[in-house]
Amino acid sequence: MNNIRTATARRSLTTLATLGLVAAMMAGCASAAASPGEASGDSDSSSVDELRLGYFANVTHAPALVGLEEGLIQDALGDVEVTTQVFNAGPAAIEALSAGAIDATYIGPNPSINTFIQSDGESARIIAGAATGGAALVVREGIDDAADLEGTMIATPQLGNTQDVAARVWLADEGFETDTSGGGDVNITPTENAQTLTLFQQGQLDGAWLPEPWVSRLIIDAGAKVLQDEADLWEDGEFPTTVLLVRKEFLDEHPDVVADLLAGHQASVQWIADNAADAPAVINGAIEKEAGKPLADAVIERALEHVTFSVDPHADTFETLVDNGIGAGTQKEGSIEGLFDLRLLNELLEGNGTEPVSAAGLGED
């Protein structure tokens, strides 16, 4: 399991003194964006009246759920209307981003890496972190250790997504062969999350490597158990699950709008930290709108116990993630130098007297 490990620095959630300070930063976003805008080219904010944002109805995307539900993202964007599209997994979101159908998306790190490498660095930039943790391999009764997985069928959300890569790398470390067509010692079948729950309940799947709240749903609603918590594979248990990715062309042309998006995103992360008692209901309400029904209280509470929300993207883990994707056979080799553009985020943090986050030599900070 060594090649899924990396050394990461322990960081805490970005803190703001009050939400009033967040609002003050929102008001100053346009001026704060001047320097990055000048670095990347002229911007014409008057030509854009909409920001199209992607996200998943997952607990690991809670900053998006809260930011939209509480109006924090729209408040930060002002006259620029936020419109949304919900995805099940990263590769589908990347397709929309690459086609110009969305401008930014909450997404896992591996699809972000894939699009950057495949486009020779021209497609997108990570502008902030969103969540760490909250992913695990859950299995049926009768599977008690890795050796019991031979000949089983395991689901992941989508081929090449962050959990799919983690599953393939871990299984390889345990001595199993897999392939991207579903063959090998353990059959990996990319499956939409809700369908995974149904198939597991029907006994057609032996397990799944999933993000929250699906880990908790399979445990509480379907009797699964955790065989491998992904947090145990990383030093200090910190691994990026969700980042905020923006189309490079949009960032170059509208850095002021991206700065406003970041202010709303940061306000959402802070709202979750400041409203621990209310956050589960707000997140659950947003999930209900997409899924048609809310999660059980026990599911949402368990899921939130396993996820940490932070604007730090943990850039120092990404070289390991590249190696993992190559080892999993879902990603081609290539450089990720330039993947991060954290300048706008760090202007917000520095304006509040907070330590900036690092691009770890993989871009601008």
Side-chain angles (χ1 to χ4, degrees):
M1 292 180 277
N2 289 336
N3 61 352
I4 198 171
R5 298 178 185 270
T6 188
T8 58
R10 185 181 298 276
R11 301 181 181 93
S12 59
L13 270 172
T14 302
T15 56
L16 299 173
T18 65
L19 287 178
L21 284 174
V22 177
M25 287 193 296
M26 290 180 185
C29 281
S31 60
S35 177
E38 291 168 1
S40 57
D42 295 334
S43 65
D44 182 11
S45 61
S46 63
S47 69
V48 61
D49 56 10
E50 178 186 29
L51 183 139
R52 300 163 299 172
L53 181 65
Y55 67 97
F56 310 167
N58 287 348
V59 170
T60 52
H61 288 230
L65 302 176
V66 166
L68 294 167
E69 192 76 4
E70 293 294 303
L72 300 170
I73 292 175
Q74 185 60 74
D75 287 348
L77 287 168
D79 292 335
V80 177
E81 181 184 5
V82 60
T83 59
T84 61
Q85 186 169 348
V86 180
F87 298 93
N88 176 64
I94 290 297
E95 288 180 12
L97 193 78
S98 300
I102 58 174
D103 305 306
T105 187
Y106 289 82
I107 196 168
N110 286 94
S112 304
I113 291 167
N114 281 342
T115 187
F116 185 86
I117 291 176
Q118 290 171 2
S119 69
D120 294 323
E122 293 301 313
S123 61
R125 296 288 184 272
I126 293 173
I127 58 170
T132 61
L137 170 62
V138 293
V139 296
R140 60 169 171 78
E141 289 296 329
I143 299 176
D144 298 315
D145 55 39
D148 296 330
L149 290 171
E150 186 165 3
T152 61
M153 182 172 291
I154 301 297
T156 62
Q158 191 170 0
L159 178 65
N161 99 306
T162 300
Q163 288 77 47
D164 183 73
V165 170
R168 294 176 189 278
V169 171
W170 182 80
L171 287 167
D173 284 343
E174 293 295 329
F176 295 113
E177 290 187 5
T178 65
D179 62 47
T180 56
S181 61
D185 301 321
V186 178
N187 300 320
I188 298 178
T189 175
T191 307
E192 193 272 331
N193 291 328
Q195 184 71 3
T196 291
L197 174 61
T198 300
L199 292 173
F200 187 86
Q201 290 171 321
Q202 294 173 347
Q204 297 184 48
L205 287 172
D206 299 296
W209 200 300
L210 298 168
E212 292 290 4
W214 296 101
V215 170
S216 294
R217 284 211 67 182
L218 263 71
I219 291 170
I220 293 171
D221 295 343
K225 60 182 180 180
V226 174
L227 184 66
Q228 180 62 64
D229 189 329
E230 190 171 344
D232 294 337
L233 302 175
W234 296 84
E235 188 170 327
D236 298 326
E238 293 180 338
F239 64 100
T241 310
T242 309
V243 297
L244 183 53
L245 185 74
V246 66
R247 190 159 46 88
K248 181 180 181 295
E249 182 181 8
F250 192 89
L251 175 61
D252 289 346
E253 294 178 356
H254 307 291
D256 55 334
V257 178
V258 175
D260 290 342
L261 171 63
L262 279 167
H265 168 62
Q266 189 179 36
S268 300
V269 170
Q270 187 60 35
W271 190 97
I272 295 169
D274 290 343
N275 296 274
D278 296 328
V282 172
I283 295 167
N284 210 4
I287 291 174
E288 181 181 7
K289 288 181 179 180
E290 299 303 328
K293 62 180 181 179
L295 301 171
D297 290 344
V299 171
I300 192 73
E301 290 169 6
R302 185 194 181 281
L304 285 170
E305 288 174 357
H306 290 80
V307 185
T308 299
F309 302 104
S310 171
V311 298
D312 188 344
H314 293 271
D316 56 352
T317 66
F318 273 69
E319 292 285 10
T320 296
L321 292 168
V322 170
D323 293 340
N324 291 344
I326 293 169
T330 60
Q331 176 188 302
K332 71 176 185 179
E333 296 187 27
S335 172
I336 56 170
E337 184 176 350
L339 173 60
F340 294 89
D341 191 338
L342 305 179
R343 291 173 292 173
L344 293 171
L345 174 63
N346 280 331
E347 286 186 12
L348 287 173
L349 297 178
E350 289 169 358
N352 187 52
T354 304
E355 286 294 317
V357 298
S358 173
L362 300 174
E364 301 278 359
D365 56 14

